[in-house]
Every structure is written in structure tokens, then in C-alpha cells.
Amino acid sequence: MPVSAIKSFLKSVPEDAVPPAAWLGIQGAAESTSVVKGVRILSVAKGSPASESKLKSGEKGEGDLIVGVNGKPVTTPEELAEAVRAHAVGEKIPLTLLSKGKYRTVDVLLKAPPEMAKAVTTKVAAKPKARLAEPEPEAAAAEEEDNSQLTPRD
């Protein structure tokens, strides 16, 4: 990609733009088994990266247990969230899972959370145009009255 294209793009990005945080789309809880510690997937959001990667939810001993992100262990939902946020929207990350007694690795394509995607689309689409404010009728009438008392000087 040419440097000039990158510079042009960067000039078009608003100064206050904040990149959306990556979203996995699960709710989880810390869980320890006799073998490993990780984050048990309790629910998976419809249409989320986790759903698209076929991650399974379930109570203790059921569903998938996330034990690592990108080769690094995670043992709490907070560690999992931090590991996901360290990656960008659109990035594929490998999750190490313990599922039905076996380890497996699943690549997950991260997305922006649905409300963030809507907000960004709305903000860009609904950018207001600058206009001058119309004077209110009472204010315009009062100004005319004040001007009627002025007399030209000779």
C-alpha cells in the first residue's frame, strides 16, 4: 500500500476517533477442573464471533472452557477480556479450549460490539451540516422596535 494512500486516509480520520474495542460475544465464569483453570462459556451472543466460531456454552463441566488466547493462559473473565482487547477488530486470534475432555484450538475473527458498530455507522451517516440559526420571531420583532427609535444624524 502506498504511503500517500495511508497519509490521505489518516488526514480524513477525525482527531477524536477511537477505534472500537474487539468483541468476542460470550459471558463466562472462572472455573477450575482437576486438570486446568479457565473461563467457562456460560452464554454465546447470537451473531457474535464466538457464535460464528461454533463455541459452545454450558454449565460447569459442559460447554467450552477457554484456557488460552494467542498461546497465553487465561483463568478469569477479566484476563480473557484484557487478552481480547489487546487485539484489533478484524483480527483472527487463536483460542485454546478444553471441550469434552479434549484440547482444541479455534481461530476467532474479532468484531466490534453491535452497539458500537451501530453508533459508528449512525455518527458517520448523520453528520450534521453547519447552518446559521434562524432568529426567533419575538427577538426579531424586538430588534425592529429598537431600531425604529434611532434617528439619523445630520
Side-chain angles (χ1 to χ4, degrees):
M1 177 174 265
V3 173
S4 61
I6 295 170
K7 286 182 178 180
S8 176
F9 170 76
L10 291 175
K11 287 179 184 177
S12 71
V13 176
E15 288 182 30
D16 61 346
V18 177
W23 176 63
L24 185 57
I26 68 151
Q27 288 187 335
E31 185 177 310
S32 295
T33 71
S34 59
V35 179
V36 70
K37 293 180 181 180
V39 177
R40 175 71 57 200
I41 299 175
L42 300 176
S43 66
V44 177
K46 186 178 178 181
S48 68
S51 172
E52 291 173 1
S53 296
K54 311 276 190 257
L55 300 185
K56 303 292 180 209
S57 62
E59 294 298 317
K60 187 170 182 145
E62 299 174 15
D64 292 329
L65 183 69
I66 300 172
V67 297
V69 175
N70 204 23
K72 296 179 183 171
V74 293
T75 59
T76 66
E78 295 80 15
E79 288 177 356
L80 175 60
E82 185 178 320
V84 169
R85 280 193 306 265
H87 297 277
V89 170
E91 189 175 339
K92 268 190 177 180
I93 60 168
L95 298 181
T96 305
L97 310 171
L98 180 61
S99 184
K100 297 179 183 177
K102 296 181 182 177
Y103 289 98
R104 66 186 178 113
T105 300
V106 175
D107 287 332
V108 178
L109 179 62
L110 298 175
K111 293 182 179 179
E115 61 278 357
M116 179 59 87
K118 287 179 190 173
V120 169
T121 302
T122 303
K123 185 176 180 182
V124 170
K127 191 172 183 179
K129 304 225 184 239
R131 299 187 317 155
L132 294 175
E134 297 290 325
E136 297 203 15
E138 297 101 23
E143 189 174 311
E144 281 182 27
E145 206 172 282
D146 286 347
N147 287 342
S148 67
Q149 296 174 1
L150 296 176
T151 55
R153 294 190 180 189
D154 293 321

